[in-house]
Amino acid sequence: MLDRAELLGLFPEILLWDTTLILLVLGMMVARTPARPAAPFVRTVAWLGLHCVLLAIVLVGVGIPITINSIHDILLTDSFTHCCDIFLLVGTAGTIMLIVDHGGRDTLRAFETIVLILLSTSGMLVLISASDLLIMFIAMELQTLCFYVLAASKRDSECSTEAGLKYFLLGAFSSGLFLFGCSMVYGSTGVTNFEELGILALTRSWGVPDPSTGIPIIGILCIVVGFLFKITAVPFHMWAPDVYEGSLTLVTAFFSIAPKIAIFANMVRVLNHCFHDHDWQSLLFFASIGSMILGTVAAMAQQKVKRFVVYSSIGHVGYLCIGFAGGTTMEGIQSLLIGLLIYLFMTVNVFGLFCAVRPVRSQYLGDLGVFGKLHPLFAITFSLTMFSYAGIPPLAGFCSKFYLFFGAIRCGADVLAGLGVVTSVISCFYYLRLVKLMYFDLPGEYMIPPRLDRDNSIVLAITVACITLMFLYTSPLFLVTHYMAMGLFAESGVGFSGSVA
Amino acid sequence: MVSTPTVAGAVLGLAIQLYCNGMRKLPLMRHPWEHVLFMGIGAYAINELVAWEYRTEAALEKKKAELLRINKNRPVESLPRIF
């Protein structure tokens, strides 16, 4: 039986599940009426979904971030999960706000898209709070199963169907590998709870005689590979370009934002709580190097907008993995969280811009040329986001890269920091190429830029404000990430040493 | 006397509304009451942010002291034995 505190901690998840069920039933009832057009109903469902997510943000925000172990210690709520939940819900709300207006367009006809987004978000909330290998796997599967359907949601498109199928096959393989790792860990230790695994790892690293055979390295590596697949880190990124390109732009936006927050949060929890011996460190080290290099080199050759964004995202995953360079230190975790939050704002902004120009032909990078001439404010916003992605001061992207590299140097990973700087400089070439395309190249054909809808313009305004002002007023960013990192270390039982702030 | 966060928030709110109208290719001062509304929301949000910052700083200091105390008195034998 749940007590009051446990129930309050689970309110956001329960709210999302209830809304999902209600919207599904409502959709079934309305969809049976043939006279009713689909588009306005999708818009209504999107509005209801958005309000549900905003209510969930309020529920999480007003709650006190105290440490609660719920349902026989399989879920853990603390200050770290509290803030990660807010990041995730903000990212989801941003994505749904981009979707609302698209309800009336041809690209998004099915109300199930919103329902699946809400259902996968609830899975991600559970994933962030997961404190047990089994519940972690179940939450990850709940999220991923929704993603398979979302990827194939453009039913009359061959590319979308291919994307869904490809994602399903490779996702099933990675889930199998992940489960295999979990079963190996359970087989050799007899426990699945993070806290118990952490105590076992501590006794081993402190030289206390180990009653069991210890945690097998191969099991840990299988789990880490499962994580790397989900965050599209090299060499497990192969599925991402095709899946992201084949899916709807709005679904691609959701894939690029929400799961990365949930998986990174869970990854930090697992690696910090359970596996302190850093057997996984070299794997993440090489994944980070590979992602930075491949993301930079491959993005240069892209002509299509979505593929460009995907490779850019792979490069940023490489930068974020630098946060794990020194194992799980306070500096590393804090810089990772700073990078993740800034990545969230930049990605919402860039997809907001792409969604805004979706009605006109904007599949190729060359099509963006028209906006420099006909919509100067759009061009300025796009340029600011590209400068931020490139890490040029005084924008938020610089802040993110600076603290990631600074954290790596503090942890002794000078190679990663040096390579990060080199790849950042190279990446400036293709980010600035887009700015050149808009301002200096003549477009192939002129077209009337579409008028943005209200929701999209508000999302763009807020994200642009964050990108430009975060560098000037960094203390809230530092405080929240420091608070989260400290909450994580307080719960892990491994103590802490110093901080960036 | 109006405080700095209030002014900064109001300016930010106004800028956001002007930007929204600019992006939508509408007259910048269209529906002026929306500008006032956004200025109010901005001022409230920034004041809340500053208040939250003070609260979080205090909570952090408390947590830091607690963790340092735990770190100092952490013998290996104090670990719970589950195996």
Side-chain angles (χ1 to χ4, degrees):
Chain A
M1 188 74 184
L2 293 176
D3 65 20
R4 190 169 172 271
E6 287 178 358
L7 197 62
L8 283 175
L10 289 173
F11 254 19
E13 285 91 343
I14 293 169
L15 174 73
L16 286 180
W17 283 325
D18 286 351
T19 313
T20 304
L21 288 175
I22 290 166
L23 290 181
L24 202 58
V25 172
L26 190 68
M28 286 297 112
M29 285 164 65
V30 174
R32 289 168 75 92
T33 320
R36 199 177 284 262
F41 177 65
V42 175
R43 194 182 159 83
T44 311
V45 171
W47 263 110
L48 289 172
L50 175 65
H51 283 91
C52 164
V53 175
L54 293 177
L55 189 59
I57 294 174
V58 173
L59 280 177
V60 178
V62 297
I64 303 162
I66 50 169
T67 305
I68 306 165
N69 280 310
S70 310
I71 320 174
H72 304 290
D73 294 349
I74 60 170
L75 293 175
L76 174 70
T77 313
D78 59 9
S79 55
F80 178 76
T81 59
H82 186 81
C83 296
C84 283
D85 283 353
I86 292 177
F87 291 175
L88 173 67
L89 290 169
V90 167
T92 308
T95 317
I96 297 179
M97 275 183 94
L98 305 179
I99 290 174
V100 170
D101 188 59
H102 280 249
R105 294 181 194 161
D106 287 335
T107 48
L108 185 70
R109 285 286 184 199
F111 74 92
E112 291 95 338
T113 307
I114 312 294
V115 174
L116 286 168
I117 285 178
L118 290 180
L119 192 59
S120 60
T121 306
S122 68
M124 285 184 267
L125 285 178
V126 176
L127 182 62
I128 289 172
S129 310
S131 172
D132 190 281
L133 288 176
L134 276 180
I135 196 76
M136 179 176 82
F137 176 74
I138 291 167
M140 204 180 273
E141 282 309 290
L142 174 60
Q143 167 215 303
T144 319
L145 283 172
C146 296
F147 285 177
Y148 300 148
V149 187
L150 278 173
S153 59
K154 209 170 160 184
R155 277 172 269 178
D156 51 354
S157 159
E158 281 179 24
C159 289
S160 181
T161 312
E162 184 197 337
L165 195 60
K166 203 173 264 183
Y167 196 10
F168 173 66
L169 290 174
L170 290 170
F173 172 72
S174 84
S175 296
L177 203 63
F178 187 82
L179 191 60
F180 179 63
C182 293
S183 67
M184 284 197 79
V185 170
Y186 176 70
S188 56
T189 59
V191 291
T192 53
N193 189 273
F194 289 176
E195 199 180 336
E196 292 171 356
L197 279 169
I199 292 167
L200 182 62
L202 267 182
T203 50
R204 197 177 81 164
S205 64
W206 286 1
V208 176
D210 195 352
S212 71
T213 51
I215 302 172
I217 293 172
I218 190 78
I220 296 172
L221 292 184
C222 284
I223 291 175
V224 175
V225 166
F227 280 133
L228 290 178
F229 184 92
K230 305 286 182 199
I231 58 169
T232 67
V234 173
F236 309 103
H237 67 286
M238 302 80 68
W239 58 276
D242 292 338
V243 171
Y244 282 33
E245 193 193 350
S247 311
L248 289 169
T249 309
L250 309 155
V251 172
T252 311
F254 186 63
F255 283 178
S256 312
I257 299 161
K260 294 222 166 50
I261 298 169
I263 302 281
F264 266 112
N266 189 253
M267 214 169 153
V268 167
R269 171 81 69 193
V270 172
L271 299 181
N272 187 51
H273 263 68
C274 309
F275 312 131
H276 318 132
D277 281 353
H278 303 171
D279 302 316
W280 41 267
Q281 202 178 332
S282 42
L283 184 60
L284 280 172
F285 187 88
F286 288 112
S288 173
I289 290 178
S291 302
M292 283 191 290
I293 293 175
L294 188 118
T296 307
V297 174
M300 271 190 222
Q302 300 309 317
Q303 293 300 322
K304 286 188 171 178
V305 170
K306 275 195 197 169
R307 290 188 89 85
F308 171 81
V309 175
V310 172
Y311 281 108
S312 166
S313 157
I314 290 172
H316 273 85
V317 165
Y319 295 126
L320 291 175
C321 282
I322 291 180
F324 291 113
T328 46
T329 58
M330 193 80 164
E331 290 87 355
I333 300 299
Q334 196 180 348
S335 58
L336 168 70
L337 294 171
I338 290 172
L340 201 57
L341 190 58
I342 291 173
Y343 171 80
L344 162 75
F345 287 122
M346 291 193 302
T347 313
V348 170
N349 184 278
V350 86
F351 275 102
L353 291 168
F354 287 143
C355 286
V357 300
R358 198 67 191 152
V360 298
R361 201 167 70 88
S362 59
Q363 198 182 359
Y364 291 93
L365 293 174
D367 298 335
L368 295 172
V370 71
F371 296 103
K373 283 83 187 170
L374 301 179
H375 202 324
L377 196 56
F378 178 95
I380 290 170
T381 310
F382 193 78
S383 307
L384 274 175
T385 313
M386 288 301 116
F387 285 138
S388 181
Y389 262 126
I392 294 172
L395 297 166
F398 171 76
C399 213
S400 152
K401 286 185 180 175
F402 177 80
Y403 287 105
L404 279 165
F405 300 155
F406 181 73
I409 291 169
R410 284 279 297 269
C411 301
D414 300 344
V415 179
L416 274 182
L419 196 71
V421 172
V422 171
T423 50
S424 283
V425 172
I426 297 171
S427 69
C428 284
F429 163 73
Y430 58 80
Y431 287 126
L432 299 187
R433 187 169 63 109
L434 293 186
V435 178
K436 174 189 159 277
L437 267 174
M438 275 198 304
Y439 283 106
F440 300 106
D441 289 3
L442 287 174
E445 54 180 296
Y446 278 91
M447 59 193 115
I448 301 168
R451 184 178 281 187
L452 267 72
D453 62 282
R454 186 176 182 76
D455 306 320
N456 201 341
S457 64
I458 290 175
V459 171
L460 286 174
I462 292 171
T463 48
V464 164
C466 290
I467 288 171
T468 47
L469 299 178
M470 225 171 232
F471 184 82
L472 303 172
Y473 183 44
T474 49
S475 63
L477 182 68
F478 275 111
L479 270 177
V480 72
T481 51
H482 195 175
Y483 186 63
M484 289 168 75
M486 202 176 271
L488 186 79
F489 277 80
E491 286 313 309
S492 70
V494 293
F496 84 115
S497 53
S499 67
V500 174
Chain B
M1 184 76 185
V2 186
S3 63
T4 313
T6 308
V7 175
V11 170
L12 185 66
L14 179 66
I16 284 179
Q17 179 56 26
L18 291 174
Y19 176 89
C20 285
N21 283 347
M23 281 300 270
R24 297 172 70 198
K25 292 207 167 242
L26 297 170
L28 289 184
M29 290 310 288
R30 177 178 174 261
H31 294 168
W33 58 89
E34 288 182 355
H35 296 68
V36 178
L37 179 71
F38 270 79
M39 284 168 77
I41 294 172
Y44 175 76
I46 297 291
N47 273 305
E48 279 298 304
L49 184 68
V50 172
W52 172 86
E53 209 178 319
Y54 284 125
R55 279 202 308 271
T56 312
E57 249 174 30
L60 263 177
E61 286 305 316
K62 205 172 147 190
K63 204 167 219 176
K64 210 168 178 176
E66 188 189 336
L67 282 176
L68 283 171
R69 187 182 53 78
I70 293 170
N71 259 5
K72 213 182 244 178
N73 315 317
R74 188 193 285 274
V76 178
E77 292 73 30
S78 71
L79 283 169
R81 293 211 168 270
I82 55 166
F83 302 107

